[in-house]
């Protein structure tokens, strides 16, 4: 089973990274030998979508940057984890720039009628969100974007774990349930 994860926080050792690590621990401890391929989006060279129409008739983006490896990974993944902090009531820019470039998959699926096949294990997703405020609106906006992403890349089913009022670096470590829930979500993600 191929599992990929997108880390969308620029803060090294931050809350998003900590919770994602627990999820990965849950996965890798459940099935020996399983390895999650993590894309640290902040370190990658990904240009924003130019809406040039270049993918309309081919489903292939005309730009060549680090998205090339992400396109391949998304296409062949059985499980996709998206982990993001809430920035201005939304997914982080690091995540959003990657999602926008998935317009190529949107063209492939909806214009060319060639959705990504479901594979051997059906494709499933996990969305991890961490926000500093109490307000839920950031979660709602981010989840709406993430759902559009999952739908576009033919991941019909996903679970969301979201934690609010988690602001300072490492604050997630003091949350009573977050890390355990993330660990369990990792284990559950790979059950068939
Ligand atoms: C640019 C920026 C914008 C933010 N906007 C929001 C927001 O709209 N809602 C919210 O709940 N938290 C907001 N936060 C707080 C972060 O979501 C919070 O600090 C989170 O724990 C960061 O996760 P990280 O440690 O993984 O980067 C913002 C933080 C930054 C740096």
């Amino acid at each position: 089973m191929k599992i990929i994860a997108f880390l969308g926080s620029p803060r090294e050792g931050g809350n998003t990274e900590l919770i994602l690590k627990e999820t990965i621990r849950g996965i890798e401890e459940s099935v020996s030998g399983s390895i999650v391929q993590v894309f640290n989006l902040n370190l990658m060279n990904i240009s924003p979508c130019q809406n040039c129409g270049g993918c309309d008739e081919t489903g292939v983006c005309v730009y060549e940057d680090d998205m090339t490896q992400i396109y391949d990974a998304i296409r062949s993944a059985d499980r996709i984890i998206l982990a993001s902090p809430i920035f201005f009531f939304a997914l982080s820019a690091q995540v959003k720039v990657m999602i926008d470039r998935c317009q190529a998959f949107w063209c492939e699926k909806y214009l060319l009628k060639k959705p990504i096949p479901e594979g051997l294990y059906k494709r499933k997703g996990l969305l991890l969100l961490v926000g500093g405020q109490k307000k839920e609106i950031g979660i709602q906006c981010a989840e709406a974007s993430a759902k559009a992403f999952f739908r576009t890349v033919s991941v019909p089913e996903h679970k969301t774990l979201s934690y609010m009022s988690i602001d300072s670096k490492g604050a997630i470590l003091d949350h009573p349930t977050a890390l355990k829930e993330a660990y369990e979500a990792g284990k559950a993600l790979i059950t068939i």
Side-chain angles (χ1 to χ4, degrees), residues 75 105 108-110 112-118 152 154:
R75 191 178 293 288
F105 284 122
E108 189 180 59
K109 180 172 183 177
Y110 295 107
L112 305 176
K113 314 285 183 211
K114 286 183 193 162
I116 298 171
E118 71 177 20
T152 296
S154 297

Side-chain angles (χ1 to χ4, degrees), residues 9-11 14-17 85-90 130-133 135 164 166-169:
S9 169
R11 186 153 67 173
N15 299 310
T16 311
E17 186 174 347
I86 304 297
F87 282 179
F88 282 87
F89 293 179
V130 182
Q133 296 183 354
K135 285 184 196 161
M164 300 306 289
I166 305 291
D167 205 9
S168 58
K169 185 173 174 177

Side-chain angles (χ1 to χ4, degrees), residues 90-135:
L91 295 167
S92 69
Q94 287 83 350
V95 174
K96 189 59 167 49
V97 81
M98 183 279 290
I99 287 181
D100 286 358
R101 289 285 297 282
C102 289
Q103 178 67 4
F105 284 122
W106 190 94
C107 293
E108 189 180 59
K109 180 172 183 177
Y110 295 107
L111 300 182
L112 305 176
K113 314 285 183 211
K114 286 183 193 162
I116 298 171
E118 71 177 20
L120 282 179
Y121 306 103
K122 292 192 173 166
R123 286 158 68 84
K124 288 187 192 164
L126 177 64
L127 176 63
L128 303 173
L129 298 171
V130 182
Q133 296 183 354
K134 283 189 197 138
K135 285 184 196 161

Side-chain angles (χ1 to χ4, degrees), residues 53-107:
C55 59
D56 285 0
E57 289 171 14
T58 61
V60 177
C61 183
V62 297
Y63 289 93
E64 281 191 20
D65 56 15
D66 287 347
M67 266 312 281
T68 307
Q69 51 178 298
I70 289 181
Y71 287 134
D72 290 344
I74 287 177
R75 191 178 293 288
S76 56
D78 300 297
R79 301 289 183 265
I80 300 179
I81 305 169
L82 197 58
S84 178
I86 304 297
F87 282 179
F88 282 87
F89 293 179
L91 295 167
S92 69
Q94 287 83 350
V95 174
K96 189 59 167 49
V97 81
M98 183 279 290
I99 287 181
D100 286 358
R101 289 285 297 282
C102 289
Q103 178 67 4
F105 284 122
W106 190 94
C107 293

Side-chain angles (χ1 to χ4, degrees), residues 146-159:
K147 273 185 185 165
F149 163 71
F150 281 134
R151 200 165 43 240
T152 296
V153 299
S154 297
V155 171
E157 177 184 333
H158 86 276
K159 179 184 171 75

